[in-house]
Amino acid sequence: MMALLLGLATVSTRAQNDTLRLKNGNVLHGEIKGLVTGVLTMETPYSDDDFTIDYEEVSGLSLERQSIVILAGGRRVVGNLRSAADGEVTIRTEEEGTLTVALEELTSLQQVKRRFLNRFDGYIDLGFNLTKANNNRQFTSSIGIHYRGVKWIGDFDVSTLRSERDEVAKVERNSGTLALTYLLSDKWYVLASTAFLSNTEQQLDGRWSLRAGPGRFLAISNRLVWGLGAGINYNVENFAGQEFDIESTEAFVTTNFNMHGFGDFSLNTRLDFYPSLSESGRIRADYLLDVQYDLPWDFYVKTGFQFNYDNQAIVEGSQFDYILTSGFGWSFD
């Protein structure tokens, strides 16, 4: 029993080894969880709640774990942080050696979690609408699992929509994406993804896509990330009434804009443009917009909009399809 208690004490001590010095002379010991929008969050052994501290009041800090740091101007650095003098911090990195910068240069800070499984987070949200007119019923659901490492970023997202009403054909829409991003530097990355989409509005029984290409961050800070990518996309499609799959190749241009840290609001939007390389004159486009408001205990409400365009959809189908959803969800890590 004593050995177990000593082991637990050792684990607790290791998890609480970060140090934070304030301009008023106070020194706090605990675990620095992160820096977002000018607010530093710290967990301490002598409080049940995390401390939130105005970053302007910090004169020095030392972190035990490796951290991902965003500096002013969008530069991304990974390393160990320690302040040797007030007002500055030294970052020991594997790729760039030792850097010494002013504390005010740090705009975002996130510690790298040691355990692989702890680097995952996710969400689940549901929505349901019921109206008396025509006995209209609509159900939406989505789930996502995300991975954040030093060099790799992974995203897996699935969403479904079912809509039924009397004397009208059932409407269905299913989509899923598995995406991997490898960070080459603080600005450049390589992206690869596979996606699936089916919807009754465009008479699309299923489209499997596989794409890859380079990308670049146009802007990155503690409040927003904006990236631009391009490459090649390969499709396998099957439309209603067709006996054979259709294979095609496209170029693609994609841009993604993510904002967070504006109070409890966050926004994510993405635009994909696909000019065909194998089918003359064909152009497709996909657009996504999600606006989320965070609630206590990791719950949230979210409104989403998705739009799909294809100028060479089959005769029975529409050239475009869109959905507007709202729902209640829970995020976990």
Side-chain angles (χ1 to χ4, degrees), residues 29-286:
H29 299 279
E31 181 182 358
I32 296 175
K33 290 189 170 182
L35 169 65
V36 179
T37 62
V39 176
L40 190 143
T41 304
M42 187 174 195
E43 178 184 349
T44 65
Y46 35 84
S47 175
D48 293 334
D49 298 323
D50 293 342
F51 281 106
T52 55
I53 302 152
D54 188 339
Y55 188 61
E56 293 182 353
E57 300 301 318
V58 175
S59 64
L61 49 79
S62 297
L63 284 78
E64 290 296 315
R65 296 182 186 177
Q66 196 176 48
S67 301
I68 301 173
V69 180
I70 304 299
L71 301 176
R75 185 180 180 185
R76 183 180 186 273
V77 179
V78 179
N80 296 91
L81 285 71
R82 187 172 299 274
S83 292
D86 287 349
E88 65 180 33
V89 61
T90 298
I91 308 173
R92 299 193 309 273
T93 73
E94 295 180 358
E95 297 182 352
E96 302 181 50
T98 300
L99 307 174
T100 300
V101 299
L103 272 177
E104 62 189 26
E105 290 289 305
L106 273 66
T107 63
S108 177
L109 169 67
Q110 177 186 357
Q111 290 208 36
V112 178
K113 297 179 180 179
R114 288 190 179 97
R115 296 184 59 187
F116 176 76
L117 292 179
N118 289 343
R119 298 176 184 176
F120 287 88
D121 59 65
Y123 68 89
I124 299 173
D125 57 59
L126 303 170
F128 181 73
N129 296 316
L130 175 64
T131 58
K132 181 180 178 181
N134 296 324
N135 193 26
N136 185 32
R137 305 172 303 281
Q138 179 176 287
F139 174 76
T140 60
S141 65
S142 60
I143 183 171
I145 299 175
H146 305 144
Y147 172 83
R148 298 292 181 268
V150 175
K151 287 291 187 179
W152 288 95
I153 298 174
D155 298 287
F156 175 69
D157 300 277
V158 175
S159 64
T160 63
L161 178 145
R162 300 285 186 276
S163 181
E164 298 182 24
R165 59 179 178 172
D166 295 345
E167 301 178 358
V168 176
K170 180 171 63 175
V171 175
E172 294 187 15
R173 178 188 174 94
N174 303 286
S175 63
T177 303
L178 174 62
L180 292 174
T181 302
Y182 181 74
L183 303 174
L184 298 172
S185 65
D186 58 332
K187 293 291 186 181
W188 291 94
Y189 55 88
V190 176
L191 59 92
S193 66
T194 182
F196 174 80
L197 173 67
S198 68
N199 67 66
T200 53
E201 178 67 18
Q202 293 180 301
Q203 298 292 303
L204 179 63
D205 286 346
R207 174 189 295 128
W208 287 97
S209 301
L210 179 65
R211 70 180 190 178
R216 189 180 191 278
F217 292 115
L218 301 180
I220 182 169
S221 72
N222 62 335
R223 287 180 179 265
L224 63 89
V225 177
W226 180 22
L228 178 68
I232 300 296
N233 183 65
Y234 171 73
N235 289 321
V236 178
E237 301 170 297
N238 188 278
F239 291 91
Q242 291 184 332
E243 297 181 2
F244 303 100
D245 293 337
I246 300 174
E247 299 182 14
S248 61
T249 305
E250 303 166 316
F252 78 85
V253 178
T254 180
T255 183
N256 189 93
F257 185 78
N258 182 285
M259 293 195 310
H260 55 88
F262 291 86
D264 293 318
F265 283 96
S266 60
L267 178 148
N268 179 57
T269 184
R270 188 185 74 242
L271 175 64
D272 300 322
F273 180 69
Y274 299 94
S276 181
L277 301 177
S278 58
E279 297 174 292
S280 178
R282 186 183 184 187
I283 296 175
R284 295 192 307 108
D286 297 327

